[in-house]
Amino acid sequence: MFTHDGWVPMRDYGEDAVDFVIVGTGAGGGTLACKLAEAGFSVIAMDAGAYWRPLEDFASDEQEQTKLYWTDDRIVDGDDPIHLGANNSGKAVGGSTVHYMMVSLRFRPEWFNSRTKLGYGADWPLEWREMWRYYREAEEALCISGPVRYPWGPQRPRYPYRAHPLNAPARYLARGAEKLGIAWSETPIATLSAPRGKAHPCVYRGFCASGCTTNAKQSVLNTWLPRALAAGAEIRDLAMAGRVETKNGRATGVHYFRNGQWRFQCARNVVVAGYAIETPRLLLNSSSSEFPDGLANSSGMVGKNLMVHLNQSVFGYSGDEIRSYKAPPSLALTEHWNYEDRGKDYHGGWCYMAPGPLPADWARTVSAKGKWGAGLLEEMSRYNHAVGLKMVGEVLPYERNRVSLSEQTDRYGLPIARVTFGFGDNERAMRTHALDFMDRALDAVGVTERWRNEEETAHLMGTARMGEDPATSVVNADCRSWDIPNLWVCDGSVFPTSGGVNPSLTIQALACRTGDRIAELAARGEL
Amino acid sequence: MADPFSAYDVLAKRDTPSWNERTRDVIDKRLALAIAENVLGDTQLATLRVIVARVCPDPPDRPATNTLAMIVRKIAEDEGDGYRPHTLPRTAECWRRGLDAIEDEARLRFNCGFASIEPDQADEILYAVESGKMCSELWGNLSPELFWKWRLLPDLVSSHWAQPSLWSAMGFGGPASPRGYVRLTENRHDPWEASEDAATNSSHALSQDHEE
Ligand SMILES: Cc1cc2nc3c(=O)[nH]c(=O)nc-3n(C[C@H](O)[C@H](O)[C@H](O)COP(=O)(O)OP(=O)(O)OC[C@H]3O[C@@H](n4cnc5c(N)ncnc54)[C@H](O)[C@@H]3O)c2cc1C
Ligand code: SF4
């Protein structure tokens, strides 16, 4: 991982029963694999994707690095069908964190009780103070670079590593916020601002969404998983789980496809951590005579309440050279509208950051406003002057937004996911407010020829929600399914609400908590 | 159109610390990619060639691009993006049907194959695809608008802006590993980045907001 042609030893458990088999090694599964292995359990974490070595295997190239994305077929429909693939999900050991943008934010405390405290969505079965501790654990594990003082929310300790210098788009964001009289901050971000062991600090090459060739990015691949291996976990790559087997009301193991054949891994516990589309798909695909509607689905909630984040943007041009391809995107942000509820005609919060699109991404953005031919070529030549702002906005849970099974099957013969999504009035009202505000923030710093990109969404949450009540949720606060005591879900799908921040830090904090809870339950003989 | 970065060639950095071994390999292969044979029929290929030229023209005075070959490769491998509307078939079938329908459209409107009509006639047809105003029955249940928005345009621009010629013409720094960048603030750049030609630079200069 950290040296060219380097190798580390790894345990090989074979297919006899282990304590835990985890499907998916991303923000949820990879983190939990580490915690459980360090607690002394025998753990196999499998992933459909490859175990990449960034130093050797990653190119500085958008097209080549599409190898990191989940590009197996999925059907999208509904009033506002969402873009998946590159934009939304990874297929690699380390999951989507291998190509994520590293923004590492905590929820606003009230969001854990948004139903009782703010009057919308659903309550989490968790207490924010406890989550605050686990956020800290995750931030320390990832050596987050961030400001000394964070302007919003309850006080938090300073971030482990110092903040990165701001690039031009981030400086524009900061000046715009100041002109409009709201606070901004350096973004807490999971890329190194100083060396860590054999990993070098970020070199500001800006290809983060294509995977980091230098290991500066603190992904699950180079943080939790080396720890998991050292503690005796096995990571089984290129292993596609097709079905969780159950007998007498308990999970017995996982059928998976590897090296051209179907195999079976026995386990005393199964954790599903495939992210908010593949998790419900696997639970639904595992239906049996005992569980005809799919596993853990007595509430009927598996697949329902799919949430994304609003990820719309405003772009324009500056007389300055901006060159937003340099440094990680999103180096500055404002969470003002996550913590300010006055002046809104909708529920929920949003923040915005300074994006840094690479050429092909930028060409898709510019062409989406109806440009092609010579006009597109001409506009693309002004790339270095383009500057924008991009929101991350809370989407409410609606049962009609859901993952179900299509009649079509994939190359393994498994029914593929059908992802149905449409915005509600709340999202439309938030989008209008946010786009108007970001437009003003750009206008205030002299950005002209502005336009709005109204379609984009990001992140996936909510298709196996946690809750207090087995009738309306899939798992409890420990991510343990109500219906099958040795089946767990540990990834973005357990979110009851989406909050107005990027989800990966919350997923990792939850996985840390789940790991601790499992160890406690085991110690009490309650597994 | 003037190329604002006439003195800049991102390929000149190939053997500098901005490119790692893997990137050299990937870009070398991309530049050498040949149009795969027997993937499309002759007419389909001719149609696609013109579509690429109209939608994604090459920048003048830069080495020719390989966009067409990349699209043909994608069709050959029936490579998906990980999602598609349920009315859109998979990549290869979608492209083949779209190309056949566009060819048929040209015959209906101009009595001539798409590859032989005038450029502005080709554009007229492409605008009609974009806005869904098509006559050919070959479209069947394939929506021209969806074909344009979810298949044709993203495939074309993603492949076109994967070409070093386009990176040079837009002043993009190109591959940047292991050496990234040092100067990050506005109006500053490292010696290994593109300099914008003075003439085009001044035409953009209208910013008023330089106070710090
Ligand atoms: C481009 C991009 C930028 C992002 N930027 C940010 C950001 O800045 N900040 C932030 O907080 N979040 C960001 N995210 C989101 C973040 O990466 C995800 O929310 C997070 O990784 C989800 O964690 P997870 O564990 O639920 O799933 P993932 O991390 O996606 O992991 C799921 C894993 O499960 C595997 N899997 C699924 N099904 C199976 C199966 N049946 N068999 C075997 N393996 C399977 C997949 O291959 C995958 O590796 C970004 C995402 C993307 C795509
Ligand atoms: S900018 Fe930094 S974090 Fe992003 S890919 Fe480059 S070195 Fe890695």
Side-chain angles (χ1 to χ4, degrees):
Chain A
M1 177 70 53
F2 297 103
T3 53
H4 274 270
D5 296 322
W7 293 95
V8 287
M10 182 169 79
R11 197 65 192 259
D12 178 357
Y13 284 104
E15 290 179 339
D16 296 338
V18 287
D19 293 330
F20 283 87
V21 61
I22 302 177
V23 177
T25 58
T31 307
L32 185 63
C34 169
K35 293 286 291 189
L36 292 177
E38 289 182 348
F41 295 104
S42 54
V43 177
I44 296 174
M46 50 177 72
D47 205 290
Y51 210 146
W52 300 107
R53 292 170 304 165
L55 291 178
E56 282 105 324
D57 297 335
F58 288 0
S60 256
D61 185 65
E62 285 176 275
Q63 175 78 32
E64 164 71 10
Q65 293 298 116
T66 57
K67 66 189 180 191
L68 300 179
Y69 309 150
W70 189 285
T71 53
D72 293 13
D73 240 5
R74 287 162 172 168
I75 302 294
V76 292
D77 63 6
D79 290 345
D80 303 287
I82 52 179
H83 291 222
L84 299 167
N87 184 48
N88 248 328
S89 44
K91 185 192 211 175
V93 170
S96 307
T97 71
V98 179
H99 75 284
Y100 80 153
M101 304 284 206
M102 314 170 296
V103 173
S104 299
L105 304 178
R106 298 181 181 195
F107 260 43
R108 172 179 164 183
E110 290 88 337
W111 291 340
F112 292 105
N113 304 90
S114 62
R115 164 77 23 222
T116 33
K117 294 233 168 90
L118 302 167
Y120 68 89
D123 286 348
W124 292 53
L126 292 166
E127 219 264 313
W128 74 269
R129 280 177 206 282
E130 191 187 11
M131 285 302 289
W132 231 237
R133 276 211 325 274
Y134 285 108
Y135 277 130
R136 189 62 191 164
E137 177 174 350
E139 285 164 356
E140 278 171 352
L142 305 178
C143 291
I144 302 292
S145 305
V148 178
R149 266 202 71 253
Y150 197 66
W152 305 280
Q155 252 209 326
R156 56 185 78 173
R158 65 174 298 168
Y159 283 93
Y161 277 33
R162 69 164 192 278
H164 289 275
L166 300 186
N167 61 357
R171 286 158 55 87
Y172 263 65
L173 181 147
R175 287 212 301 270
E178 281 166 12
K179 293 220 163 173
L180 296 188
I182 63 169
W184 63 275
S185 171
E186 291 134 330
T187 305
I189 192 164
T191 179
L192 299 175
S193 59
R196 175 188 199 187
K198 289 181 189 154
H200 300 286
C202 174
V203 297
Y204 305 120
R205 49 187 283 279
F207 276 87
C208 318
S210 300
C212 181
T213 52
T214 70
N215 279 319
K217 173 188 284 192
Q218 301 292 284
S219 64
V220 170
L221 176 64
N222 65 6
T223 56
W224 302 104
L225 292 180
R227 273 171 61 180
L229 291 185
E234 177 186 342
I235 310 297
R236 206 169 280 173
D237 71 349
L238 303 172
M240 172 69 187
R243 182 181 169 79
V244 177
E245 192 60 56
T246 51
K247 198 175 171 192
N248 302 330
R250 290 182 69 86
T252 55
V254 173
H255 297 276
Y256 68 102
F257 192 86
R258 192 171 197 232
N259 286 332
Q261 52 176 314
W262 282 102
R263 313 186 58 94
F264 186 68
Q265 177 63 51
C266 299
R268 287 180 278 278
N269 289 274
V270 173
V271 182
V272 180
Y275 207 6
I277 293 176
E278 293 307 313
T279 286
R281 176 184 178 216
L282 181 58
L283 294 174
L284 295 172
N285 270 336
S286 301
S287 62
S288 62
S289 52
E290 205 176 351
F291 298 105
D293 301 323
L295 303 186
N297 198 20
S298 63
S299 63
M301 286 296 149
V302 169
K304 292 192 182 149
N305 296 302
L306 172 70
M307 294 169 286
V308 295
H309 278 131
L310 300 181
N311 201 210
Q312 284 82 0
S313 47
V314 181
F315 281 102
Y317 292 98
S318 163
D320 288 335
E321 280 191 352
I322 303 293
R323 298 182 190 254
S324 61
Y325 55 84
K326 295 193 281 189
S330 315
L331 283 177
L333 92 165
T334 174
E335 278 208 69
H336 176 81
W337 291 107
N338 271 336
Y339 287 85
E340 176 58 83
D341 297 324
R342 287 168 301 177
K344 291 177 179 167
D345 57 353
Y346 53 85
H347 290 304
W350 52 280
C351 58
Y352 66 79
M353 294 160 218
L358 292 180
D361 186 14
W362 182 238
R364 287 189 292 269
T365 304
V366 176
S367 65
K369 61 173 173 165
K371 286 253 169 155
W372 49 275
L376 177 60
L377 191 60
E378 156 71 25
E379 183 154 351
M380 289 296 289
S381 77
R382 303 175 63 197
Y383 172 64
N384 284 350
H385 290 267
V387 59
L389 297 171
K390 196 168 211 177
M391 72 184 294
V392 170
E394 181 163 11
V395 165
L396 299 185
Y398 304 102
E399 284 190 23
R400 62 181 155 77
N401 287 336
R402 60 188 294 214
V403 175
S404 53
L405 298 177
S406 138
E407 323 77 71
Q408 303 180 47
T409 53
D410 67 4
R411 60 193 146 120
Y412 310 102
L414 302 167
I416 63 175
R418 178 182 201 109
V419 181
T420 307
F421 190 83
F423 296 122
D425 290 340
N426 198 69
E427 287 71 35
R428 283 185 280 270
M430 177 186 288
R431 179 175 65 189
T432 303
H433 178 218
L435 290 173
D436 286 350
F437 192 88
M438 294 192 292
D439 187 66
R440 281 172 52 210
L442 288 175
D443 189 25
V445 291
V447 176
T448 56
E449 298 165 78
R450 299 180 302 279
W451 84 89
R452 296 162 183 221
N453 180 353
E454 303 213 340
E455 292 202 1
E456 272 184 61
T457 65
H459 312 143
L460 302 162
M461 292 146 294
T463 50
R465 53 155 53 169
M466 57 163 58
E468 305 268 13
D469 181 356
T472 55
S473 59
V474 178
V475 298
N476 68 13
D478 299 338
C479 292
R480 185 178 205 169
S481 77
W482 292 112
D483 299 349
I484 301 176
N486 67 339
L487 177 68
W488 313 71
V489 177
C490 186
D491 61 13
S493 42
V494 303
F495 283 34
T497 54
S498 64
V501 295
N502 319 46
S504 69
L505 194 73
T506 303
I507 299 172
Q508 291 169 85
L510 270 179
C512 288
R513 183 184 181 279
T514 303
D516 284 358
R517 285 290 298 154
I518 287 174
E520 281 168 34
L521 292 168
R524 298 208 300 258
E526 292 174 17
L527 264 200
Chain B
M1 189 202 78
D3 186 333
F5 304 94
S6 53
Y8 175 66
D9 178 7
V10 40
L11 289 176
K13 287 193 266 191
R14 185 185 180 282
D15 297 314
T16 70
S18 284
W19 290 46
N20 65 9
E21 202 47 51
R22 182 89 202 128
T23 304
R24 281 191 275 273
D25 190 45
V26 164
I27 304 298
D28 288 355
K29 286 204 179 100
R30 181 166 312 151
L31 293 172
L33 185 71
I35 297 170
E37 287 175 31
N38 303 322
V39 176
L40 295 174
D42 291 345
T43 310
Q44 289 172 329
L45 185 61
T47 303
L48 181 57
R49 188 185 299 276
V50 174
I51 294 174
V52 170
R54 298 311 304 160
V55 176
C56 288
D58 282 356
D61 306 320
R62 296 277 181 186
T65 60
N66 240 347
T67 307
L68 178 63
M70 279 178 73
I71 304 287
V72 174
R73 186 203 54 80
K74 183 162 186 173
I75 297 170
E77 293 172 14
D78 196 17
E79 187 182 285
D81 310 299
Y83 58 98
R84 61 189 163 85
H86 66 288
T87 51
L88 219 55
R90 284 191 55 87
T91 306
E93 186 192 337
C94 190
W95 265 114
R96 290 197 181 101
R97 283 177 55 189
L99 292 172
D100 290 345
I102 287 171
E103 167 70 7
D104 193 47
E105 202 71 38
R107 296 203 171 269
L108 286 174
R109 287 183 195 220
F110 303 111
N111 217 357
C112 184
F114 187 81
S116 312
I117 55 182
E118 294 298 319
D120 53 338
Q121 294 174 321
D123 285 357
E124 182 186 318
I125 290 184
L126 293 172
Y127 278 118
V129 178
E130 184 180 15
S131 54
K133 298 191 191 83
M134 300 307 291
C135 317
S136 166
E137 285 175 4
L138 291 189
W139 288 99
N141 64 355
L142 177 64
S143 148
E145 285 156 292
L146 283 186
F147 172 65
W148 178 269
K149 192 175 159 195
W150 291 75
R151 183 86 279 143
L152 186 150
L153 201 56
D155 277 3
L156 254 51
V157 303
S158 303
S159 298
H160 204 50
W161 272 276
Q163 307 286 330
S165 284
L166 275 293
W167 298 340
S168 298
M170 70 197 286
F172 170 54
S177 179
R179 177 178 63 181
Y181 302 102
V182 181
R183 294 164 187 82
L184 304 179
T185 57
E186 53 275 26
N187 300 321
R188 302 212 50 206
H189 65 266
D190 291 322
W192 54 92
E193 295 183 75
S195 290
E196 196 167 324
D197 298 349
T200 48
N201 202 357
S202 61
S203 76
H204 287 310
L206 21 89
S207 166
Q208 338 81 327
D209 197 77
H210 286 288
E211 91 276 14
E212 286 299 310

